[in-house]
Amino acid sequence: MPPSRPGRPVRAARTTAAVALLLATAVACGDTGALRGAGATPTATSPAKLWPNLSPAASPAYDFDEADTETVKGVTVPGDDIRKVDPIAVVRAEIAAHPSDYDGSQAPYRGTAEKISDCTDAGTDRSACPVLKPYYRDLTGDGRDDLTLGFRLLPTKMTAVRVYTVEKHRLVQVMANDDAVSGVELAGHSVIIRSPSELAGYEYRVQWTWDADQKAMLLTHDEFLRTGSRKHGVRRATPAPPGSPASPTPPSATP
């Protein structure tokens, strides 16, 4: 006779006792255990395809910079360790590579170029440095850290968010996003950026995710979501009538 399996009869007895107790409780409470209706179920509606004869577009109407990468010139990666790269040098390299954005009195982000010296010069207020704290995480899945870098685009209220990786001993930018930013998160192989909306209680949320085939981070989600907060007003579409309080100004995003 094969040896018995200890414990099984005990568990079975406990289960039987528990079922008997539940049945007794249900009878005592007058609950028959019957199913209860949850109300009418909405009728399912299948998707309706509109304009079936419309010719499909051959190219996108807007450029979202999909699979846009750029090798950072003038910045080396000692030992292929991205943590040894100077983040301020990376921002300086971008300023040098894009003079129309940063150089000159008409450049939209001229303040960033003017304030970059506050990041390194002795005796200056380092709080004026536009470069934010760098973060390191493996976003590409190769087992090595990548660099997520942010810096203020002065004099605007926007923030640049960049992701860099190392390819063939070179520093390569694999994501670039410029926007008014209220929050940035890293999750898995994705960067999630939240931006304020002029509509109270809502925000924009975009997600960039690493794509191994394109060797770049692609814009995989672009959402307009409700946050539930209604602390700020909404910009009025028309001027306020004479004698009425001035229209509230939407809050600016602080990088």
Side-chain angles (χ1 to χ4, degrees):
M1 178 181 296
S4 61
R5 298 180 182 179
R8 290 192 61 185
V10 176
R11 286 198 295 269
R14 289 177 179 175
T15 302
T16 302
V19 172
L21 178 61
L22 289 175
L23 290 175
T25 304
V27 172
C29 296
D31 188 354
T32 61
L35 298 177
R36 298 179 181 179
T41 303
T43 303
T45 304
S46 61
K49 185 176 182 179
L50 307 185
W51 307 301
N53 297 326
L54 184 66
S55 300
S59 60
Y62 303 102
D63 181 13
F64 288 100
D65 294 332
E66 292 98 339
D68 187 20
T69 63
E70 181 178 343
T71 300
V72 181
K73 298 180 180 179
V75 177
T76 59
V77 187
D80 286 349
D81 185 355
I82 203 167
R83 288 178 174 267
K84 295 181 179 179
V85 175
D86 182 7
I88 299 172
V90 176
V91 178
R92 288 182 180 274
E94 173 163 335
I95 293 173
H98 303 277
S100 61
D101 291 336
Y102 299 97
D103 190 16
S105 60
Q106 301 301 318
Y109 311 134
R110 57 193 178 277
T112 300
E114 295 169 357
K115 292 292 185 179
I116 194 69
S117 59
D118 292 337
C119 300
T120 55
D121 290 350
T124 59
D125 183 8
R126 292 295 300 271
S127 64
C129 173
V131 182
L132 306 179
K133 174 185 175 180
Y135 287 89
Y136 302 91
R137 177 179 289 192
D138 180 13
L139 294 173
T140 60
D142 62 358
R144 300 181 301 176
D145 281 338
D146 301 299
L147 168 63
T148 302
L149 184 62
F151 56 94
R152 294 186 288 268
L153 296 172
L154 304 174
T156 73
K157 296 297 184 181
M158 296 199 303
T159 301
V161 179
R162 306 284 188 264
V163 174
Y164 302 89
T165 190
V166 179
E167 293 182 3
K168 299 179 179 179
H169 316 296
R170 298 177 301 174
L171 187 67
V172 178
Q173 176 187 289
V174 294
M175 192 213 83
N177 188 98
D178 299 337
D179 205 345
V181 174
S182 56
V184 180
E185 303 169 15
L186 301 180
H189 301 308
S190 299
V191 178
I192 303 169
I193 302 174
R194 296 184 290 110
S195 301
S197 166
E198 292 184 357
L199 186 60
Y202 291 82
E203 70 176 7
Y204 296 100
R205 193 177 302 173
V206 298
Q207 178 174 327
W208 296 82
T209 305
W210 173 254
D211 187 285
D213 293 332
Q214 300 297 328
K215 294 188 178 300
M217 302 198 73
L218 305 184
L219 182 61
T220 53
H221 292 81
D222 188 353
E223 302 173 293
F224 184 62
L225 303 175
R226 182 167 182 171
T227 61
S229 174
R230 292 184 175 274
K231 293 187 296 183
H232 305 300
V234 182
R235 179 179 295 175
R236 297 182 182 179
T238 57
S244 65
S247 302
T249 302
S252 300
T254 302

